[in-house]
Amino acid sequence: MNKTKQTDAAYQKCINPDCDAEYDCSKPLFKCPACGELLDVRYNWDKITIPSKLNEFSKRWAGRSNKLDFSGLWRFRELLDFCEDKHRVTIGEGQTILQQNDAIGKYADMKASRLYLQYEGLNPSGSFKDNGMAAAFSHATMVSAKSCACASTGNTSASVALYAHHCGLKSVVFIGSGRIAFGKLSQAMDYGTKTIQIRGDFDDCMRQVQEVCTRLGLYLLNSLNPFRLEGQKTIMYRIIEQLGWEVPDWIIVPGGNLGNSSAFGKAFYELKEVGLIERIPRMAIINATGADTLTDLVNNKKLIWNKGQVAQKVIDDYYADLTARNFSPQTCASAIEISRPVNLKKCLRAIDICDGIVRAVTDEEICDAKAIVGRYGLGCEPASAATIAGLKQLRAEGVIGSDERVACVLTGHPLKDPDLTVNYHKAKKGQFANAPIEVENDLEKIIKLIE
Ligand code: F0G
């Protein structure tokens, strides 16, 4: 066992049970140096004073002038206690809401008052990523990182760019040429990060950024970084907080690089471990059909967590086949256009924890669901709408009951991808298209159109 010194409350631990190496949190590690597997942040709970009841966290709303209490992340700081207060970074992330929505519920064939939407588009950079970045940049600050990098389908880069300039770190983001929605690209440029467009897809960018970070000693901000996932756990805390600390029956989340699903599984496992909840919800992870590695591996190749003894050969063979076919994922939900998800194994673990299931939905289903979220909800970007399309499919299959309580995570803001929205409506592509009507500059003709 490769054991190095641990900090008091938190440490990093390899997820490979055959390795089990532990490292203290002062090291910016993104894979286990001993075996190359993913790392977790783990806690010595006996060294942390955790509120005995979940509603203690809510009471912090009363002290909103304290910026840590105001943060929808650090309000839960005992549950991600890896750094001191002085290192905790916040720009007001996590002020997000859970919206109960019957019209969208009806679209997905749910009974009234059963569907909830956790709208993460309200974050400072417009996506759930800010939850992860507040945590990861706190760690980056703690280890005195000066420069950082990420690969991205767009939202990670926007969030990195925003937090980097807040924290005074130099940043560089790698994006696949032509693979990023314009709202996100505009943010990266506007927030002043060095934006490198690689002629390739997200998976190519992900490979390159790891090499670059190793060679140049940059702090990596993709969800390989275990501290990022600690921040993303708080999305689940906020859902159950808004349900009066009741756990829903289902959480539905889009699956891309599988950081969220991994973080959510860990969040519930830990809440149960420390005795703050009694029941863990089920989780459905939704891929796009053009980027459905997880669906294929879990549903067809029967890949499972198996107490950490994951059949690596199945994964290796799958990826070798993708390479042999020169496969590049294709979906209009560019945020989840990923075929080699880096958190695959942690996601398998989350599926195990949450009795999870995986489905894939078509671009057409995603676009229609997105239009429905726009019309009746707060709007969202395409990847987020995969959750509603997934719910509809799972209702049709009868896997989810119409009276079960479901929370879908709407991961990003509708203005992230205005092109797709305009095309859908203007080109009358889907059944909910709402195209603008052109008319001459003539009052009578205008009135005729409205009457
Ligand atoms: N939804 C949105 C809006 C996203 O931006 C992403 C991922 C996902 C869902 C998938 O989440 O990776 O945790 O499974 N976006 C990353 C990026 C890959 O680079 O912005 P995941």
Side-chain angles (χ1 to χ4, degrees):
M1 186 147 122
N2 181 3
K3 206 162 193 161
T4 58
K5 196 171 100 2
Q6 293 176 20
T7 53
D8 254 13
Y11 57 101
Q12 302 185 76
K13 186 175 169 76
C14 178
I15 68 162
N16 173 3
D18 292 335
C19 172
D20 254 357
E22 294 178 3
Y23 308 92
D24 70 38
C25 289
S26 66
K27 295 185 177 61
L29 304 171
F30 308 109
K31 283 191 174 168
C32 175
C35 77
E37 260 309 336
L38 297 168
L39 293 168
D40 265 335
V41 180
R42 294 279 190 94
Y43 301 96
N44 295 313
W45 296 118
D46 53 345
K47 294 196 169 137
I48 303 172
T49 310
I50 303 171
S52 59
K53 290 215 174 78
L54 279 163
N55 64 13
E56 296 293 319
F57 293 113
S58 310
K59 288 190 184 150
R60 290 188 174 146
W61 283 116
R64 286 165 73 94
S65 53
N66 170 347
K67 68 184 169 87
L68 293 184
D69 285 348
F70 179 69
S71 165
L73 184 100
W74 296 119
R75 216 148 41 79
F76 301 100
R77 48 195 172 270
E78 290 84 357
L79 300 173
L80 51 153
D81 199 7
F82 60 80
C83 66
E84 295 171 57
D85 279 0
K86 66 177 182 200
H87 294 306
R88 297 193 214 268
V89 169
T90 175
I91 56 171
E93 60 289 321
Q95 308 303 319
T96 61
I97 56 165
L98 188 72
Q99 182 199 41
Q100 197 247 303
N101 193 306
D102 283 347
I104 300 171
K106 197 167 167 212
Y107 172 74
D109 192 27
M110 298 294 297
K111 284 194 180 144
S113 81
R114 300 282 82 190
L115 176 66
Y116 292 81
L117 308 173
Q118 175 65 14
Y119 182 48
E120 289 295 314
L122 286 177
N123 275 295
S125 79
S127 86
F128 74 91
K129 300 285 178 183
D130 297 345
N131 295 286
M133 292 309 163
F137 272 91
S138 300
H139 183 252
T141 308
M142 177 176 130
V143 301
S144 306
K146 300 282 177 281
S147 310
C148 61
C150 72
S152 183
T153 57
N155 281 325
T156 301
S157 55
S159 187
V160 163
L162 190 57
Y163 278 83
H165 88 63
H166 174 81
C167 297
L169 264 77
K170 274 168 76 178
S171 64
V172 54
V173 304
F174 292 12
I175 55 178
S177 249
R179 301 278 190 149
I180 177 171
F182 262 34
K184 306 173 189 183
L185 181 60
S186 71
Q187 288 179 290
M189 296 188 298
D190 214 33
Y191 300 150
T193 186
K194 184 176 276 186
T195 305
I196 299 185
Q197 286 191 288
I198 294 178
R199 287 189 205 103
D201 58 24
F202 173 81
D203 300 301
D204 298 319
C205 294
M206 193 65 234
R207 261 193 303 270
Q208 297 293 6
V209 78
Q210 291 181 65
E211 290 294 327
V212 169
C213 284
T214 309
R215 283 239 214 134
L216 304 182
L218 306 182
Y219 187 90
L220 180 68
L221 283 154
N222 282 100
S223 49
L224 277 176
N225 179 331
F227 295 92
R228 239 194 72 183
L229 299 192
E230 291 308 289
Q232 287 168 220
K233 292 189 308 191
T234 65
I235 301 169
M236 295 300 107
Y237 305 154
R238 294 196 297 271
I239 288 182
I240 61 171
E241 176 180 41
Q242 291 168 100
L243 291 175
W245 299 112
E246 281 180 22
V247 172
D249 296 309
W250 288 89
I251 297 289
I252 307 189
V253 59
N257 226 3
L258 306 179
N260 260 342
S261 43
S262 300
F264 299 170
K266 186 172 189 282
F268 287 115
Y269 180 85
E270 290 175 352
L271 284 178
K272 188 145 186 263
E273 188 181 28
V274 299
L276 286 169
I277 58 170
E278 284 171 7
R279 182 174 66 81
I280 290 177
R282 294 193 69 188
M283 178 157 59
I285 304 160
I286 313 297
N287 280 155
T289 48
D292 63 351
T293 297
L294 181 72
T295 313
D296 219 1
L297 284 174
V298 170
N299 294 353
N300 302 328
K301 307 272 185 280
K302 308 294 172 203
L303 195 68
I304 54 167
W305 170 241
N306 194 25
K307 299 194 173 112
Q309 310 284 354
V310 179
Q312 184 65 46
K313 186 166 179 329
V314 174
I315 303 172
D316 291 344
D317 288 352
Y318 193 86
Y319 289 169
D321 178 59
L322 293 185
T323 306
R325 288 191 284 126
N326 220 354
F327 178 84
S328 186
Q330 270 318 320
T331 166
C332 72
S334 55
I336 52 174
E337 197 179 55
I338 296 171
S339 62
R340 290 172 170 79
V342 296
N343 288 298
L344 175 61
K345 288 189 182 168
K346 282 189 179 175
C347 176
L348 294 173
R349 182 177 65 183
I351 291 171
D352 189 64
I353 293 168
C354 299
D355 190 12
I357 55 172
V358 185
R359 291 293 184 273
V361 292
T362 64
D363 281 4
E364 199 184 340
E365 290 166 329
I366 288 173
C367 289
D368 285 342
K370 183 185 147 348
I372 287 292
V373 176
R375 187 173 294 188
Y376 299 116
L378 298 167
C380 66
E381 68 163 283
S384 317
T387 57
I388 300 299
L391 171 61
K392 196 169 162 57
Q393 188 183 120
L394 289 163
R395 275 293 305 123
E397 286 178 31
V399 174
I400 295 184
S402 63
D403 56 357
E404 290 195 271
R405 191 144 69 156
V406 178
C408 291
V409 183
L410 298 184
T411 44
H413 196 284
L415 293 177
K416 289 283 190 176
D417 194 349
D419 292 319
L420 178 133
T421 309
V422 171
N423 283 336
Y424 176 90
H425 291 290
K426 269 192 127 174
K428 300 191 179 147
K429 280 200 178 146
Q431 47 176 321
F432 306 108
N434 178 29
I437 311 161
E438 226 173 300
V439 64
E440 277 167 53
N441 188 13
D442 175 307
L443 183 61
E444 290 315 312
K445 287 187 177 155
I446 293 170
I447 285 177
K448 217 168 166 191
L449 284 176
I450 300 167
E451 272 178 333

